[in-house]
Amino acid sequence: LLWSPVRSAALDEGQRALVAEKLAGRMDGDGNVRVVASDSRSQRQNRERAEERLATLVRDALTVRKKRRPTKPGRAAKEARLTEKKRRGEKKRERRGDFD
């Protein structure tokens, strides 16, 4: 199944650009997206499956991902890290012996 997002009337200009950007790796030199299905022996069923896969591809390409909001460690996590760090340092200090 071949589909050209650039020439598709189902998408507006912004959607075309978004789909073309997201599916750039699946496009051939002419700007077509090829979807193949050979799950069953029936050509009709394979065509329907290919159409479903294409619809899923386009739907996923059109969804806009939320920006990741960077988080900071909480106060309890900071305190736990520092106490563990102090405990490790103390353990190493105890290992040191006086070599007089």
Side-chain angles (χ1 to χ4, degrees):
L1 180 66
L2 283 176
W3 180 69
S4 175
V6 178
R7 292 185 287 274
S8 175
L11 305 173
D12 62 16
E13 275 305 310
Q15 291 175 332
R16 279 190 199 117
L18 188 63
V19 168
E21 179 186 332
K22 295 265 182 98
L23 298 180
R26 295 187 63 109
M27 288 184 165
D28 60 9
D30 299 330
N32 295 322
V33 176
R34 177 184 300 269
V35 181
V36 180
S38 57
D39 300 336
S40 84
R41 292 177 55 186
S42 166
Q43 182 181 10
R44 182 182 52 79
Q45 287 177 348
N46 285 335
R47 183 166 182 83
E48 289 171 359
R49 285 202 177 104
E51 288 171 353
E52 289 171 10
R53 289 179 188 170
L54 177 65
T56 303
L57 272 174
V58 174
R59 195 176 313 113
D60 290 346
L62 287 174
T63 56
V64 179
R65 304 265 183 210
K66 287 197 305 185
K67 271 210 157 188
R68 182 185 175 279
R69 185 174 163 205
T71 58
K72 296 179 182 176
R75 188 177 68 218
K78 285 180 188 175
E79 288 174 4
R81 181 180 61 85
L82 290 174
T83 56
E84 183 60 32
K85 194 171 178 180
K86 285 211 183 292
R87 193 174 302 133
R88 262 181 279 141
E90 184 63 35
K91 186 189 295 185
K92 290 181 180 185
R93 234 178 280 115
E94 287 173 1
R95 288 182 193 156
R96 285 192 226 152
D98 288 333
F99 298 110
D100 291 348

